[in-house]
Amino acid sequence: DFKKLLFKDFIDSLIEKDIIKNLMYHEIIKKYIRKNTSLTVAIYPLENQPWENILVYNWKKLKNKNIYGMIHTTVRYWDLKMYYGKNYKKIENILPKKILSNSPISTNNLRQGGYEKTFLMNVEALRYLGLRKENKIINPENRILICGDFNKKINNKLLDLNSRLSKIREVDFLPHPTISEEISTGNVVNGKLIDLIKKYTIVITSSMSSSAVDAYENLKIVYQLTEEGALNFTALRGFEDVFVFDNIEELILSIKNKEYHIGLRKENYFYDDSRLDKWNDFFKYF
């Protein structure tokens, strides 16, 4: 019985801050749709947030059914807000006409979550186009990048790992963009991961971070750190050449002993054909 855990959020959604915020979204979105009469098709980044449901509801009511939710990052198997089970058809007034899936993994997770095959369309992952340039053998002596996390507890574990690894290897630490406080370590780097990642061979993230997928697609050796006893939240679950640890000592020992191995990754995580054939097939509907 999870009533006690959900009670505050439930009240917020009925009479407190969330209902005020969502009423504001409703009026703004409704006004925008009415004003822009030339719009005939809508595509939005799908995360199943309340504002998205409001957008879909108003679009279908004021326009038509041509509104599509686009997966813009990974679909996490454990993220329950993404799924409604097989009952999703009963709430079609707040769901898009179709979900545009950016990878075989996303499609599989969405299917496992109850969506029928006809509700999904495959398109290229625009955010990740061109990540994978070439397959090559990686030099294990290159630098290590540790990506900070929004979760303070796991971020502190990553900072501890950073401090200890720095004594034996060349390591840089990339803070999570949501962590604003000063990080007292001398090897901090700043910038976009996609620009920085080329300098490194090993990338270490939390198990929840989608940065691991960026690293994987860039042919890096990927380590992921999780909390002891926690579920494996990684989007790379089941990938044999990705290493998940809940013990810092074991992770360091694995790197020291060079236990990692990477083969030629023939299959891309995402649909990333630069010709955009899948997107072109989608736009043939209009």
Side-chain angles (χ1 to χ4, degrees), residues 96-115:
K97 183 176 181 179
K98 288 183 184 293
I99 294 176
L100 308 182
S101 175
N102 62 7
S103 75
I105 292 88
S106 295
T107 299
N108 181 62
N109 285 341
L110 291 166
R111 293 280 287 118
Q112 291 292 321
Y115 296 112

Side-chain angles (χ1 to χ4, degrees), residues 3-242:
K3 285 199 292 289
K4 290 183 179 180
L5 295 176
L6 300 174
F7 185 73
K8 185 179 184 301
D9 289 336
F10 178 70
I11 295 299
D12 279 349
S13 69
L14 285 181
I15 60 174
E16 294 188 6
K17 61 180 181 179
D18 281 350
I19 188 64
I20 300 299
K21 184 170 62 176
N22 289 332
L23 285 170
M24 180 186 70
Y25 287 153
H26 176 77
E27 292 305 314
I28 290 172
I29 290 171
K30 181 171 66 174
K31 184 176 180 180
Y32 180 85
I33 293 173
R34 281 177 171 168
K35 182 179 178 181
N36 292 275
T37 56
S38 62
L39 299 177
T40 57
V41 179
I43 301 173
Y44 66 93
L46 179 66
E47 294 180 352
N48 272 347
Q49 300 288 348
W51 74 265
E52 298 169 39
N53 301 142
I54 294 167
L55 168 65
V56 174
Y57 174 82
N58 280 289
W59 184 275
K60 286 186 173 181
K61 183 177 180 180
L62 301 172
K63 288 278 188 184
N64 52 45
K65 292 185 178 180
N66 287 330
I67 183 164
Y68 301 85
M70 177 186 68
I71 302 299
H72 65 98
T73 180
T74 58
V75 174
R76 300 171 293 193
Y77 73 93
W78 49 266
D79 192 351
L80 295 182
K81 75 174 184 292
M82 291 296 294
Y83 312 107
Y84 295 99
K86 295 182 179 180
N87 293 323
Y88 73 92
K89 290 183 179 179
K90 295 180 180 180
I91 52 170
E92 62 179 10
N93 62 325
I94 60 169
L95 292 181
K97 183 176 181 179
K98 288 183 184 293
I99 294 176
L100 308 182
S101 175
N102 62 7
S103 75
I105 292 88
S106 295
T107 299
N108 181 62
N109 285 341
L110 291 166
R111 293 280 287 118
Q112 291 292 321
Y115 296 112
E116 294 179 4
K117 187 176 180 180
T118 54
F119 191 63
L120 309 175
M121 287 189 70
N122 296 327
V123 294
E124 288 81 9
L126 301 178
R127 176 178 174 182
Y128 297 96
L129 282 182
L131 274 187
R132 183 180 296 202
K133 298 298 183 184
E134 58 183 351
N135 285 328
K136 59 184 179 181
I137 297 173
I138 294 177
N139 176 8
E141 301 305 325
N142 287 351
R143 298 178 68 90
I144 297 172
L145 178 66
I146 299 178
C147 299
D149 198 69
F150 69 92
N151 181 301
K152 288 190 176 182
K153 186 176 180 180
I154 195 70
N155 193 61
N156 287 335
K157 287 184 71 173
L158 289 165
L159 283 167
D160 181 35
L161 175 65
N162 171 69
S163 176
R164 297 172 67 177
L165 269 180
S166 297
K167 297 174 182 177
I168 59 172
R169 293 287 297 271
E170 290 187 281
V171 180
D172 288 329
F173 188 89
L174 176 64
H176 192 274
T178 62
I179 303 293
S180 56
E181 60 260 29
E182 191 73 23
I183 295 178
S184 57
T185 179
N187 60 338
V188 168
V189 293
N190 291 294
K192 293 181 179 179
L193 177 64
I194 194 64
D195 298 326
L196 295 170
I197 205 168
K198 300 179 181 71
K199 303 175 184 178
Y200 304 93
T201 297
I202 297 175
V203 177
I204 302 173
T205 75
S206 76
S207 69
M208 292 184 67
S209 176
S210 60
S211 299
V213 180
D214 295 57
Y216 186 87
E217 284 295 271
N218 274 275
L219 305 176
K220 306 303 177 183
I221 296 167
V222 180
Y223 281 87
Q224 294 194 279
L225 184 65
T226 187
E227 293 187 65
E228 188 173 357
L231 292 173
N232 180 2
F233 290 110
T234 179
L236 296 168
R237 186 177 63 145
F239 285 63
E240 293 181 357
D241 45 359
V242 175

